Amino acid sequence: MGFFLHKSNFLLRTVYPEFWWKVEGDVEPTIYLTFDDGPIPDVTEFVLEQLDRYAAQATFFCIGDNVRKHRNVLYQVLEAGHMVGNHTYNHLNGWKTDDETYLENVQSCQHVLGVETALFRPPYGRIRKTQAAQVMEHHSVVMWDVLTGDFDQTMAPDVCLKKSIQYTEPGSIIVFHDSLKAWPNMRYALPRLLAHFAERDYTFRAVPQPVYAGF
């Protein structure tokens, strides 16, 4: 099984307090589902079907090149009332990319989305502070409280579900992936996680859009 933290730890939140890890202050128990790496035909559409069953809203952090190839799927996301965010055009690792190239890639994604969004998630959660400082002139950097690990093809689907439920609490921002790689785990865990928390009277909302000047 690949190494990653299902629960974002205190140290990370301390080093990057300006990033968004959880949503605080909800009166009723609420969790914030997010989906990275789409849009992908069939996979993203499966997610939309599951969300619709629970009147759940979510945020989709889209890769620009996938938007270019599958714009009709992006339209389905928007028509269903969900939010979208910027996930770079080519899924770049900020630690391995110079600042100028990285920021141009963010702008390229913003352009191809064709929708205003002030939400950005760095692929792999890896972004340099110098990159983040410029991105945050127009976006909030949205990280996560719970990483489902659905992308880990060595993890059994039931373990993915169990760990995701274990670490989720009110206000959690949860990461799934609407990607082919994550498909086996995600299609098992997502409907069961939705059912689990719906039975406990949780609400599912999109990450709120902050107000920024245009990109």
Side-chain angles (χ1 to χ4, degrees):
M1 184 179 296
F3 175 76
F4 60 88
L5 299 173
H6 281 282
K7 184 82 168 177
S8 61
N9 66 22
F10 177 76
L11 178 59
L12 281 173
R13 297 179 195 223
T14 303
V15 174
Y16 299 102
E18 67 273 30
F19 296 170
W20 212 344
W21 301 91
K22 287 185 70 177
V23 179
E24 308 286 358
D26 289 315
V27 175
E28 57 189 6
T30 304
I31 54 181
Y32 296 81
L33 295 172
T34 65
F35 297 86
D36 289 5
D37 298 356
I40 299 293
D42 298 330
V43 181
T44 304
E45 290 158 332
F46 170 85
V47 172
L48 294 176
E49 291 170 2
Q50 301 308 310
L51 296 175
D52 184 60
R53 292 182 181 181
Y54 295 92
Q57 289 184 312
T59 307
F60 290 77
F61 288 93
C62 301
I63 295 174
D65 194 43
N66 284 339
V67 171
R68 178 188 64 81
K69 291 184 286 190
H70 311 298
R71 183 166 293 279
N72 63 313
V73 183
L74 175 67
Y75 289 154
Q76 292 180 53
V77 171
L78 296 170
E79 287 168 2
H82 302 292
M83 296 293 107
V84 297
N86 187 317
H87 200 45
T88 77
Y89 193 88
N90 297 112
H91 204 261
L92 296 185
N93 183 332
W95 295 358
K96 298 180 179 179
T97 310
D98 66 84
D99 289 6
E100 183 178 359
T101 300
Y102 191 83
L103 294 165
E104 286 177 354
N105 213 259
V106 173
Q107 290 181 343
S108 294
C109 180
Q110 197 75 13
H111 177 74
V112 77
L113 276 172
V115 224
E116 289 187 9
T117 179
L119 302 175
F120 174 79
R121 173 170 288 155
Y124 313 102
R126 294 176 179 175
I127 185 171
R128 298 177 184 175
K129 285 217 168 191
T130 50
Q131 295 162 348
Q134 295 186 66
V135 168
M136 290 179 70
E137 292 178 8
H138 306 283
H139 294 83
S140 288
V141 175
V142 182
M143 300 297 272
W144 55 80
D145 183 45
V146 177
L147 184 62
T148 64
D150 54 355
F151 55 83
D152 185 348
Q153 296 174 313
T154 67
M155 180 188 297
D158 61 321
V159 174
C160 177
L161 173 64
K162 179 182 177 181
K163 293 291 186 181
S164 300
I165 289 175
Q166 175 184 346
Y167 291 112
T168 296
E169 56 190 0
S172 286
I173 297 174
I174 304 173
V175 182
F176 281 100
H177 294 76
D178 51 331
S179 67
L180 293 173
K181 183 178 181 181
W183 173 236
N185 280 335
M186 185 273 286
R187 69 182 174 187
Y188 177 89
L190 176 61
R192 291 166 175 81
L193 182 140
L194 284 164
H196 176 89
F197 286 104
E199 288 170 1
R200 288 155 179 78
D201 296 323
Y202 272 70
T203 299
F204 307 98
R205 292 183 183 159
V207 177
Q209 282 275 1
V211 179
Y212 285 81
F215 197 90

